[in-house]
Amino acid sequence: MKNNHSESIPKDVIEAAITKLTEVKSALAPYSTTLTKDERRALPKMGEKTLAFVTNSHDYSTQYPELMPSFAKQEDFDIDVADATGLLPVEGLLNELASQINDTAMLAGSEAYNTALLFYNNVKLAAKNNVPGAKEVYDDLKTRFPSTRRKVNIEE
């Protein structure tokens, strides 16, 4: 069995990462917003193609302020465009980091689960062969796999 995740992340590295991420979260907190699922669903989304449209519109709105609708404020548009574009590299880094963390946790978890299953099956065999202590370990671990016996209907 190949082990692809063979080096443990030192506890101090994990603690340092949590500290730094907490600092980033705190730094951005006064400017951040949390949306509900419904709010997220209702908002128009800005992808790559829309980004070009938005930045071009913003450039034109500063060049031709007379074309800006009277009920819209250029200052608000400036803030929205600055943050929408300014947060893109932060979002990209966080998405990449989240993906790496998810992949590493998934791989480590999968390998840990596979090893636990190997151990469990070995304990099960040891319990069947009356190896001292194996029955107690097996009885404790087997609760993870509840019996799914089906009742057989016998029609006469």
Side-chain angles (χ1 to χ4, degrees), residues 28-152:
L28 293 173
Y31 313 101
S32 298
T33 303
T34 302
L35 301 172
T36 66
K37 276 186 182 179
D38 289 338
E39 289 170 329
R40 287 176 147 280
R41 205 178 347 249
L43 291 173
K45 312 301 183 282
M46 185 167 75
E48 287 182 34
K49 292 178 184 175
T50 308
L51 176 62
F53 170 76
V54 168
T55 55
N56 285 341
S57 295
H58 182 256
D59 291 344
Y60 284 131
S61 73
T62 58
Q63 293 172 23
Y64 302 97
E66 67 277 6
L67 298 177
M68 189 67 153
S70 60
F71 52 86
K73 293 182 183 175
Q74 183 66 45
E75 300 80 29
D76 291 341
F77 195 21
D78 295 343
I79 291 168
D80 292 337
V81 171
D83 286 352
T85 58
L87 286 172
L88 288 174
V90 176
E91 183 182 25
L93 279 169
L94 288 174
N95 287 339
E96 184 179 337
L97 178 61
S99 180
Q100 289 172 339
I101 289 170
N102 288 336
D103 290 350
T104 303
M106 182 181 287
L107 180 61
S110 176
E111 290 182 355
Y113 184 50
N114 282 332
T115 303
L117 288 172
L118 290 170
F119 176 78
Y120 173 73
N121 286 322
N122 201 54
V123 167
K124 186 177 178 180
L125 182 62
K128 283 183 182 177
N129 289 301
N130 297 318
V131 173
K135 175 133 177 51
E136 294 79 16
V137 174
Y138 173 68
D139 287 343
D140 183 45
L141 293 178
K142 75 178 181 180
T143 61
R144 167 62 176 88
F145 305 102
S147 178
T148 56
R149 294 183 187 170
R150 295 181 184 171
K151 292 183 181 179
V152 178

Side-chain angles (χ1 to χ4, degrees), residues 18-32 94:
I18 290 170
T19 299
K20 290 177 191 289
L21 289 170
T22 302
E23 290 172 8
V24 170
K25 183 179 177 185
S26 295
L28 293 173
Y31 313 101
S32 298
L94 288 174

